[in-house]
Amino acid sequence: MSFQRTVQIENRIPTASMADIAFLLLIFFMSTTIFKMEEGLPVELPRAAAAQSQKQERILHVWIDAGGDVSINDKLVSAADLGDIMKAALSVNPALVIAFNADYRTAYGTVAAVIEELKKANAVRVSFTCDPEADSGPK
Amino acid sequence: MKTLGDISNLPSMSDIAFLLLIFFLVSTMFAVEQGIPLVLPGRQSTNVTVKRSDVLEIDARANGAITLDGRPVSLRDIRPAVEKGLAQNEKLIVVLSTHPNTEYGLMVDLLDEIKLANARVISLRTLPAEG
């Protein structure tokens, strides 16, 4: 009397759990991603066609809103403090680029005062942040 | 063997999930900031005397008026004028003087036009407040 062997070894990769893994990854990244909140002041940037992409890692943002408030690293600063902040930032990264995120309605005098402080602190590389040129918007 | 009641088709489910993953991976764009770069004169820089003929002076007044070497012009005229100046004189220095009460946007518009005209030496000045 012979018994038929009932257990057979299948050589297939089980793909049923693949979906679980994929969704698990999806849900993991969806729930752990924290979007960085917009720092700085609310500004409407001017538009320019000559703008070039700036390397993010070297940038120190200076925000200037339409009312003339100046903000660096989420803190409102006065022109007198700018020099010290710039010197400290430059000592960490000498190739620092100061990006002006200024509202297009800001009086130029405020921007000029910041530029003067930058010159004194020897922070010579600046960038005037702009939105890419478009037909609509402030011009 | 296919069965009629096989509604939950799991292998294609993973295809959909991976498709979504790949779609969002590819389409996610990180915000890249654009700006007009400029190098300011630092502390070490010395004042240099330049010839009057090497200077093209663009003024932005408080009321939004633009003058080019004293002549009133519109924003559209700046680029051809700077290009013409550069064609005549390679060493041309473009001096952009802005009144403190002028809108920053106008100054950036002018700087944009000057940069588009391929001017290399640009100097930023502030006009006296009462001027």
Side-chain angles (χ1 to χ4, degrees), chain A residues 98-118:
Chain A
I98 316 293
F100 280 90
N101 294 26
D103 195 288
Y104 75 102
R105 289 160 297 191
T106 313
Y108 179 70
T110 318
V111 182
V114 177
I115 290 176
E116 277 311 309
E117 288 301 320
L118 293 186

Side-chain angles (χ1 to χ4, degrees), chain A residues 49-50 61 104 106 108-109 122 124, chain B residues 33 40 43-44 100 102 104-105 112:
Chain A
H61 294 276
Y104 75 102
T106 313
Y108 179 70
N122 228 7
V124 291
Chain B
E33 212 170 78
L40 302 173
R43 250 185 332 214
Q44 292 98 341
T102 314
Y104 167 73
D112 187 27

Side-chain angles (χ1 to χ4, degrees), chain A residues 19 22 48-54 56 61 102-104 106-109 111-112 119-120 122 124 126-130 133, chain B residues 14 17-18 32-44 98-100 102-105 107-109 111-112 115 126:
Chain A
Q52 299 165 8
S53 297
Q54 304 295 318
Q56 287 293 314
H61 294 276
D103 195 288
Y104 75 102
T106 313
Y108 179 70
V111 182
K119 282 184 190 171
K120 278 187 212 154
N122 228 7
V124 291
V126 297
S127 162
F128 298 96
T129 307
C130 306
E133 191 85 75
Chain B
S14 75
F18 274 113
V32 177
E33 212 170 78
Q34 301 220 312
I36 304 173
L38 200 73
V39 178
L40 302 173
R43 250 185 332 214
Q44 292 98 341
T98 316
H99 190 275
T102 314
E103 274 189 1
Y104 167 73
M107 176 265 178
V108 170
D109 285 344
L111 191 64
D112 187 27
K115 279 271 179 183
T126 314

